[in-house]
Amino acid sequence: MIKFEEYDYYIKPGCTDLRKGALKLSLIVQEEMALNPFSKSIFMFCSKNRKTIKAILWDGNGWFEITKRLDYKSTFSWPKTEEASRSIKLEDIRYLLRGADVFKIFPNYSPLFAG
């Protein structure tokens, strides 16, 4: 049984052709993301229309492909650039699947009056 809390999670920013299977997506992980697709990690990708996300993971014996497709007008929030992308936690994935924007970064403002 897979213990998802023991995995690291990585997001591929921008859109990805999700007609690709786990083998082709693992090449993207290796070549474009410069990460090891066989590590204890889950790698996530999003379609151009942001209605479908796909995750792949290697369990030591083969690939898992997990797909979530939205059927309504809503879309997934997804980073477009490497700067906006980040390694996220399982809790963030749960929020993402419920429609939350886990990639929004709030600016850190300095106090107007110091002292």
Side-chain angles (χ1 to χ4, degrees):
M1 181 164 185
I2 296 174
K3 296 181 181 178
F4 289 103
E5 60 276 354
E6 294 179 359
Y7 282 76
D8 293 323
Y9 292 82
Y10 296 95
I11 298 291
K12 168 70 171 80
C15 62
T16 303
D17 181 356
L18 294 187
R19 295 175 294 180
K20 297 178 180 184
L23 291 176
K24 298 268 183 169
L25 293 173
S26 70
L27 288 173
I28 291 173
V29 170
Q30 191 171 13
E31 295 172 1
E32 295 180 27
M33 299 172 72
L35 295 168
N36 179 1
F38 301 104
S39 64
K40 197 166 188 176
S41 301
I42 296 177
F43 303 96
M44 299 182 69
F45 307 86
C46 191
S47 65
K48 185 175 183 176
N49 65 8
R50 298 185 330 173
K51 289 193 164 289
T52 306
I53 58 174
K54 186 181 277 190
I56 62 168
L57 68 111
W58 176 259
D59 75 344
N61 191 25
W63 291 102
F64 277 96
E65 286 184 43
I66 304 165
T67 303
K68 168 115 181 182
R69 185 174 298 114
L70 298 174
D71 289 328
Y72 297 102
K73 294 182 181 182
S74 59
T75 58
F76 288 105
S77 169
W78 206 258
K80 295 179 182 171
T81 65
E82 190 69 37
E83 294 78 29
S85 178
R86 59 185 170 96
S87 173
I88 63 175
K89 296 181 177 16
L90 180 57
E91 183 177 340
D92 293 330
I93 299 299
R94 290 182 177 133
Y95 287 130
L96 172 70
L97 294 175
R98 290 184 187 128
D101 185 353
V102 298
F103 303 106
K104 188 169 191 152
I105 299 171
F106 294 98
N108 187 4
Y109 292 106
S110 299
L112 294 177
F113 302 101

